[in-house]
Amino acid sequence: MKLYRIIFCLVGFASGAQSADLVPVADFARHVQYRSVEISPNGDYLAADAVVDNKHVLAVIKLDDMKSLKIVPRADDELVDFTWVSPKRLVYTVGTKLGGLERPVSTGELYFVNADGSGNDVLFGYRAGKEATGSHIKLLTAERASAFLIDELRDDDKNILIWTVGWDTTGDGVQPVVWRFDALDGSKKQLFASPVRYPSGFLADHTGTVHFAYGANSDDIWKVMYRAKDGDEWETAFDGSTKAGSSRPTPLAFDADNKTVFWSCEPDGKVGGICTWSADARDFKAVWTSKDVEASSLIKDFDGVHIAAVKSYPGKAAVALIDKNAAVVKTLVPLMQQFPGEDVSIISRTRSGNRAVVEVSSDVNPGELYLLDRDTKKLQLLLKRADWIKPDSMAGAEPIQLKSRDGLVLNGYLTRPVGKEEAKNLPMVVFVHGGPFGIRDEWTFDPNVQLLASRGYAVLQVNFRGSGGYGEGFELAGYREWGGKMQDDITDATKWAIAQGYADAKSVCIYGGSYGGYASLMAVMKEPDLYRCAIGDAGIYDLRLMYSRGDTQQSTIGETYLKRVLGEDQKTLVNNSPISNLDRLKAKVMLVVGGQDKRVPPVHGETLHMALEKRHVEHEYLYERTEGHGFYDEKNRAAMFEKLLAFLDKNIGSGNSGPAAKTSP
């Protein structure tokens, strides 16, 4: 097979930092330069979410001369997402900073703009004007509302499909509605009210007919609803209330025949699967299964509709073929040979399929974006997500597998510093992901991991029970196991790394955000002699507060969810809260708190901080009034990283911290 010839034409709005022996801390705190990139349907333009002057903007690049146009959202707004709705028109959403908050909060509005920058206006949302018809839409029947794209209708350059949801003062909102929306003037036609109260999404066929709605009602029971054509009554395609302990199958895409539907599924005896389903047969037929992991995504052919392959992450990226003769398969295979050890993806394509955007990324590479011309067989480097990151200076993440104390197979990653890939007895940081349910660590570039590895620390990540990606049974096994078996999995992984000789038993700390912050503090309470220190970032430290503070419990479905995954027994909640176990604390503690955190309100960190002070327990406390759930501002993130490294160096110093205060020029 012929390999693609690479030419280089890097386009950028900001230059990266100069290379150095020790990567500056600030480089790990920077936002990637480009989050998402899409080629226009006719291949004339490239649109990108770019960072300019520390702000996300929409950049449109004309590919024939590589000239770029910067489209800046107004006032304090920043770009959140975008997509092409026709060859020369885009829809985008914005976020705005509220109450001094550093991280922009999505406004739910829809803006539209032409590729040349003209016609830039909001056509849906609270700033769209007061008219309910014509060129603008007002706030439906609620105090505030948000719109979400269902389908850009690839064969219709005028209309798109959206669904809207509004919220009133109760927090539960009004019934979601699906619309056909005119992307030129903002006029719309209501198609139907959602048959599920809290939809996760809708699926339309290639003619624009919405056949599926999926999500849950207030009981948090998964349902998939189907109808054959517009105007028909909705019928149940899947009802989780009659399938106890089953997975949440989801319709993902119609195939090219517009009849066959690909679903995520979980065939008997398998952890993950992709199945086909048709309205005639009404049964699932597996076309891909795995005993290890769920599918990550479907790979479509260059026509944008035919399903050709399945991507998953059992450890590193893996691609399984559904149609070995598909054109995209014949392209991907030589590309993967050209970039060995990398994750290669087609992330955007033209309507004709003659041009496409290819992403090459890995555990050490934040992502390089190429323009593929299938006619000339040329591969042109366009953009790097973070051109200041040098992959050769980053540390590789190796997939690991172990068994928990009760025999459950656990997967994760071990990252050892560059030059110490074979080293033993390293100081180690156990890095715990948030969520905890439905979230997992993957083989991808993680600035937190790379920061720690750059300073000489081994980093251990484990997908404990409750994590996503390993089947419904694995996730359900974590329900009501806060401080229990989920915590034991992290302990077992830590002891495994020590037993394997990777970590120095006397030099282990634990660090995480959100649930990871909870697990980090709970770890040093349950295992006071295993860890030297713990770092909790936006952590939950009193489980009882989950029912009274934060945004999860503010809706009926949120409260129902908490009862399912956390439990209601007050004694158990108290016993499994870090703040109730301070008598067992031996390790050193660092707390990171955002004053505007709505998911885990700062009362968690503040109360634990005061309790430690009352006990005269020395600890580090970092509070930023304007930050939310995880620090967002680059300077604040860099300062937090500096304090984190100093804290680790003091407790389990790697001897390779170097000039931690060094920043990019």
Side-chain angles (χ1 to χ4, degrees):
M1 285 176 281
K2 184 175 180 180
L3 299 185
Y4 290 87
R5 181 166 60 91
I6 300 179
I7 59 176
F8 297 91
C9 186
L10 186 64
V11 175
F13 291 92
S15 61
Q18 297 176 352
S19 62
D21 293 335
L22 192 64
V23 181
V25 170
D27 282 2
F28 296 110
R30 294 177 66 178
H31 301 302
V32 294
Q33 191 67 39
Y34 303 97
R35 284 190 299 198
S36 54
V37 176
E38 284 189 19
I39 194 169
S40 63
N42 60 2
D44 290 342
Y45 300 93
L46 194 74
D49 176 339
V51 173
V52 180
D53 298 328
N54 202 30
K55 180 178 181 178
H56 286 277
V57 304
L58 179 62
V60 180
I61 302 165
K62 194 172 182 182
L63 288 172
D64 61 358
D65 58 11
M66 300 307 292
K67 291 184 178 179
S68 61
L69 172 70
K70 181 175 67 175
I71 299 171
V72 182
R74 62 186 180 185
D76 291 329
D77 294 348
E78 290 196 35
L79 183 72
V80 171
D81 198 9
F82 73 90
T83 194
W84 291 96
V85 296
S86 73
K88 294 186 178 181
R89 191 157 173 81
L90 302 105
V91 57
Y92 67 93
T93 59
V94 302
T96 192
K97 296 181 179 181
L98 301 175
L101 183 66
E102 295 291 351
R103 185 188 300 270
V105 177
S106 179
T107 66
E109 300 165 290
L110 294 181
Y111 282 75
F112 294 82
V113 65
N114 297 322
D116 63 2
S118 64
N120 188 13
D121 196 10
V122 56
L123 298 186
F124 171 87
Y126 69 97
R127 289 180 286 192
K130 298 181 179 180
E131 296 299 322
T133 58
S135 63
H136 299 87
I137 294 180
K138 68 176 182 179
L139 279 186
L140 305 180
T141 58
E143 295 295 326
R144 53 193 175 93
S146 292
F148 306 92
L149 181 69
I150 298 173
D151 199 300
E152 68 273 18
L153 302 178
R154 53 178 279 131
D155 296 322
D156 184 342
D157 289 340
K158 184 178 181 182
N159 296 292
I160 60 175
L161 295 177
I162 66 170
W163 66 279
T164 60
V165 61
W167 292 269
D168 52 27
T169 55
T170 68
D172 277 323
V174 298
Q175 192 76 15
V177 176
V178 172
W179 310 80
R180 184 177 295 272
F181 189 94
D182 190 312
L184 298 178
D185 64 16
S187 59
K188 88 288 186 191
K189 176 183 179 182
Q190 180 174 333
L191 300 182
F192 59 87
S194 173
V196 289
R197 189 68 176 80
Y198 299 99
S200 293
F202 301 84
L203 179 64
D205 66 16
H206 303 306
T207 70
T209 300
V210 180
H211 292 280
F212 293 95
Y214 49 92
N217 294 320
S218 297
D219 56 9
D220 195 31
I221 300 298
W222 185 254
K223 288 188 177 182
V224 181
M225 306 299 292
Y226 169 79
R227 64 177 187 173
K229 62 180 185 296
D230 288 339
D232 282 5
E233 292 294 320
W234 290 95
E235 54 184 298
T236 302
F238 179 86
D239 185 350
S241 64
T242 64
K243 307 283 186 179
S246 65
S247 61
R248 292 189 169 194
T250 303
L252 303 174
F254 277 86
D255 205 357
D257 64 6
N258 232 20
K259 296 179 180 179
T260 304
V261 185
F262 286 83
W263 291 53
S264 65
C265 60
E266 193 172 310
D268 291 342
K270 302 295 183 180
V271 164
I274 294 295
C275 294
T276 56
W277 182 96
S278 68
D280 295 331
R282 298 296 178 95
D283 61 353
F284 292 110
K285 295 181 179 180
V287 295
W288 174 86
T289 62
S290 171
K291 62 182 179 59
D292 301 312
V293 69
E294 296 175 28
S296 174
S297 62
L298 297 177
I299 298 175
K300 295 182 179 181
D301 207 351
F302 286 109
D303 62 4
V305 294
H306 179 56
I307 307 301
V310 177
K311 175 169 282 190
S312 63
Y313 290 86
K316 299 182 180 181
V319 174
L321 306 183
I322 292 178
D323 181 1
K324 65 180 181 181
N325 295 315
V328 71
V329 170
K330 295 178 180 179
T331 298
L332 271 177
V333 170
L335 283 174
M336 288 188 288
Q337 293 172 343
Q338 194 159 338
F339 297 99
E342 303 270 357
D343 185 358
V344 181
S345 304
I346 307 291
I347 63 171
S348 179
R349 58 185 64 76
T350 59
R351 195 172 290 172
S352 67
N354 65 319
R355 299 177 112 182
V357 177
V358 177
E359 179 177 14
V360 177
S361 63
S362 71
D363 53 340
V364 298
N365 180 0
E368 298 169 348
L369 302 169
Y370 295 82
L371 177 64
L372 170 67
D373 190 312
R374 295 176 61 216
D375 296 330
T376 63
K377 302 287 186 182
K378 290 181 179 178
L379 197 62
Q380 177 182 344
L381 178 61
L382 292 171
L383 309 167
K384 292 185 178 182
R385 293 196 189 279
D387 62 359
W388 56 90
I389 296 294
K390 310 305 177 188
D392 290 345
S393 300
M394 299 295 109
E398 288 301 316
I400 61 168
Q401 190 173 89
L402 62 134
K403 283 191 175 181
S404 68
R405 66 189 67 181
D406 59 358
L408 193 64
V409 175
L410 304 175
N411 293 274
Y413 298 92
L414 177 69
T415 303
R416 285 181 282 184
V418 174
K420 296 184 179 180
E421 291 84 358
E422 304 300 324
K424 297 288 187 177
N425 298 315
L426 291 165
M428 186 178 76
V429 178
V430 181
F431 184 50
V432 188
H433 71 68
F437 304 108
I439 306 298
R440 61 161 289 191
D441 289 315
E442 291 188 346
W443 188 74
T444 187
F445 183 87
D446 188 316
N448 292 275
V449 172
Q450 293 298 336
L451 169 74
L452 296 170
S454 75
R455 266 52 185 181
Y457 296 103
V459 184
L460 176 67
Q461 298 168 276
V462 60
N463 287 314
F464 46 84
R465 71 191 70 200
S467 301
Y470 298 98
E472 186 75 0
F474 189 85
E475 184 173 333
L476 290 175
Y479 282 14
R480 302 195 177 194
E481 291 295 342
W482 289 60
K485 292 179 180 179
M486 282 199 298
Q487 196 70 49
D488 292 341
D489 289 346
I490 298 169
T491 300
D492 292 347
T494 304
K495 291 182 176 180
W496 171 88
I498 294 171
Q500 296 295 315
Y502 299 129
D504 177 357
K506 297 180 180 179
S507 301
V508 180
C509 285
I510 186 166
Y511 161 43
S514 196
Y515 172 82
Y518 163 83
S520 296
L521 269 294
M522 201 64 199
V524 296
M525 309 298 180
K526 289 195 71 172
E527 302 288 341
D529 297 315
L530 185 59
Y531 303 97
R532 293 288 301 277
C533 66
I535 303 164
D537 182 358
I540 300 146
Y541 307 125
D542 186 342
L543 295 182
R544 294 169 298 180
L545 291 177
M546 295 282 281
Y547 285 100
S548 60
R549 304 293 289 270
D551 56 6
T552 303
Q553 49 77 36
Q554 291 179 1
S555 65
T556 303
I557 190 173
E559 186 175 354
T560 301
Y561 172 77
L562 286 176
K563 291 177 180 178
R564 289 182 65 202
V565 303
L566 193 60
E568 299 178 82
D569 182 75
Q570 291 298 302
K571 183 178 179 180
T572 301
L573 295 178
V574 170
N575 290 341
N576 288 338
S577 294
I579 199 165
S580 303
N581 290 274
L582 293 179
D583 288 341
R584 296 176 55 82
L585 180 64
K586 292 183 180 180
K588 299 298 183 182
V589 170
M590 177 177 176
L591 301 176
V592 181
V593 178
Q596 302 294 320
D597 194 340
K598 305 302 181 186
R599 178 57 46 89
V600 181
V603 63
H604 283 272
E606 292 169 338
T607 303
L608 184 55
H609 166 57
M610 289 187 291
L612 291 172
E613 282 196 326
K614 185 177 181 179
R615 290 170 174 259
H616 305 290
V617 176
E618 181 182 350
H619 63 286
E620 296 287 336
Y621 183 65
L622 177 58
Y623 176 92
E624 284 291 347
R625 180 185 58 82
T626 59
E627 291 288 0
H629 197 58
F631 283 16
Y632 181 82
D633 179 79
E634 290 181 352
K635 291 182 179 178
N636 290 341
R637 278 170 53 83
M640 187 268 281
F641 283 163
E642 300 281 9
K643 292 181 181 295
L644 182 151
L645 289 174
F647 178 76
L648 290 173
D649 189 53
K650 181 179 179 180
N651 288 285
I652 58 168
S654 68
N656 192 37
S657 294
K662 184 176 181 181
T663 57
S664 298

